[in-house]
Amino acid sequence: MMKLAVLAAAAGSAVAFAPVQQGRVSTSVQAFENELGVIAPTGFFDPLGFTDGIDQEKFDQYRTAELKHGRVAQLAVIGYIAPEIFRWGFDIAPGIPCADVPNGVA
């Protein structure tokens, strides 16, 4: 029984290093190669294939959404950093000034 287990382990480890047949996979989409932001070494980078089979109008919607979400994320970071530097002079609730509220996640 022990010999069978050793033989199975050896065969299993040998299969792990065998070459695997792979189809040709391309992450490059030629339709959007001339868009703003395409850089020389990688070309148009879309590893998950979100732009496969879409038209220019849908691509422009994706690009607009990406810009909007990036700007919102930048504002969120500023909103997290600003209370570390500046304290507002109003009351958040009656009797609780902004200066008494601790920074960060409590």
Side-chain angles (χ1 to χ4, degrees):
M1 187 66 163
M2 184 66 162
K3 291 180 184 180
L4 183 62
V6 170
L7 182 63
S13 63
V15 171
F17 296 104
V20 178
Q21 296 272 341
Q22 293 181 352
R24 185 174 177 153
V25 177
S26 174
T27 59
S28 175
V29 177
Q30 297 299 324
F32 304 114
E33 281 294 323
N34 297 325
E35 290 293 330
L36 183 67
V38 174
I39 53 177
T42 59
F44 180 71
F45 186 69
D46 183 22
L48 298 178
F50 289 130
T51 58
D52 291 344
I54 65 169
D55 58 351
Q56 185 67 39
E57 182 180 351
K58 191 67 167 176
F59 178 79
D60 292 340
Q61 287 177 350
Y62 285 169
R63 172 148 301 175
T64 303
E66 181 179 7
L67 288 173
K68 178 180 71 169
H69 293 136
R71 290 173 181 160
V72 169
Q74 291 172 0
L75 286 173
V77 169
I78 294 298
Y80 191 74
I81 294 172
E84 298 287 337
I85 300 167
F86 181 77
R87 291 296 186 161
W88 287 270
F90 62 90
D91 290 349
I92 289 181
I96 303 174
C98 288
D100 291 346
V101 178
N103 290 334
V105 180

